[in-house]
Amino acid sequence: MHVTRRHLPQGKQIRLSRIFGSPSRRALVVPLDHSVTVGPLGAAGHADQTAAILHRAGADAVIVHKGRARTIAPTRFGSMGLIVHLSAGTNLAVDQTRKVLVGSVEECLALGADAVSVHVNVGAPTEAEQLVDLGIVAAECDRLGVPLLAMMYARGGVADAGNTSVATLAHLGAIATDLGADIVKLDYAGSSDRMDEVVDSCPIPILVAGGPTTTSDDAAIIFGLQVAESRVAGLSFGRLIFGADDPERVATTLADGLHSEPTPNRPLAATLELA
């Protein structure tokens, strides 16, 4: 398969290489941004404690909101990337699919961020506004040399009917690519073969979302390693890790699986000019 070569600014390449720095160029990214949506994920120091676990486990980056980032010891990021999330919405809202921007890329740089992320619910009543926000952040990221992760979901209205089909996921990847994202987070297509079809359609690296908590730690590991059989650039597992009985075991196993060997013909190789 021909991989499209993307010539990114040096700043973006350097920051991406911190997140995708393993020999396989695949990453385990762990979102901890859920507390804005659902409330506290634990005691006051949970973010720092979880970051310490993830650092030991070999996770490549965590995703948090700007205020939560200030509660995590800077030493956690010696070999682990920091991605700051710029979108917010709560499960107390009438429209739970609505996301708004709550920060700027410059704020994230001041915190030491390696990348920023934006959430877009395609098919939501406020889809248009969310797409505008994605475009605005993409332009700011280009100006400052900061990678942008677009979390793209088919949510609301007719979008929910086929939200994990290859066609829908490929469409979401196309939106992220066309509006300037450098990485896209998508739901899983249901099998490694179908996920590879999505990869083949998308010139930017794909991270696969974990979704709700599974029945057991072993189930989370089995699911993650199944996803890793496809040519995606990595996993973005939050609740499947921080909600596990043994988060360190789940994170370590998934990180080891992703880092063990390169997977050829992925867009990341061209993005980082490593092909």
Side-chain angles (χ1 to χ4, degrees):
M1 182 193 75
H2 173 71
V3 178
T4 302
R5 182 168 293 281
R6 301 171 65 240
H7 297 285
L8 293 180
Q10 183 173 345
K12 285 195 176 188
Q13 288 206 43
I14 290 171
R15 292 182 174 97
L16 279 172
S17 70
R18 293 175 187 154
I19 298 170
F20 296 96
S22 73
S24 71
R25 303 301 180 189
R26 306 180 92 188
L28 174 63
V29 176
V30 183
L32 301 173
D33 57 286
H34 304 66
S35 50
V36 168
T37 304
V38 302
L41 302 181
H46 81 86
D48 183 61
Q49 293 163 8
T50 304
I53 290 170
L54 296 173
H55 183 269
R56 291 195 302 269
D60 298 284
V62 296
I63 304 174
V64 291
H65 282 281
K66 58 184 181 182
R68 192 69 63 176
R70 300 187 185 107
T71 72
I72 301 174
T75 52
R76 310 296 186 213
F77 301 107
S79 59
M80 186 170 65
L82 170 63
I83 302 173
V84 178
H85 197 43
L86 293 176
S87 300
T90 79
N91 63 1
L92 303 176
V94 173
D95 178 7
Q96 296 183 24
T97 64
R98 186 183 183 194
K99 299 293 180 180
V100 297
L101 293 181
V102 290
S104 70
V105 180
E106 287 187 336
E107 283 182 291
C108 300
L109 281 176
L111 290 167
D114 296 294
V116 301
S117 58
V118 172
H119 184 133
V120 177
N121 286 320
V122 174
T126 58
E127 174 193 286
E129 292 91 333
Q130 293 180 51
L131 292 175
V132 168
D133 287 345
L134 176 60
I136 290 170
V137 174
E140 193 175 4
C141 283
D142 283 345
R143 180 174 65 85
L144 296 171
V146 178
L148 170 59
L149 165 62
M151 302 181 181
M152 306 293 297
Y153 299 97
R155 298 286 189 270
V158 297
D160 275 333
N163 60 3
T164 60
S165 70
V166 170
T168 296
L169 295 174
H171 190 178
L172 296 176
I175 295 169
T177 301
D178 290 342
L179 297 188
D182 303 293
I183 316 164
V184 62
K185 177 180 176 179
L186 300 172
D187 284 324
Y188 187 49
S191 74
S192 58
D193 289 343
R194 289 195 290 273
M195 203 67 222
D196 281 341
E197 290 184 55
V198 181
V199 172
D200 289 342
S201 75
C202 188
I204 63 176
I206 295 173
L207 301 178
V208 171
T213 304
T214 57
T215 55
S216 69
D217 291 6
D218 286 341
I221 290 169
I222 290 169
F223 174 55
L225 296 180
Q226 176 189 10
V227 175
E229 291 176 1
S230 68
R231 288 183 278 105
V232 297
L235 307 174
S236 180
F237 280 16
R239 286 168 288 187
L240 295 187
I241 291 177
F242 67 72
D245 293 330
D246 187 345
E248 188 163 356
R249 172 177 169 253
V250 176
T252 299
T253 305
L254 294 178
D256 288 347
L258 286 168
H259 298 160
S260 60
E261 58 184 78
T263 299
N265 296 327
R266 285 182 290 104
L268 182 66
T271 298
L272 294 182
E273 301 196 351
L274 295 168

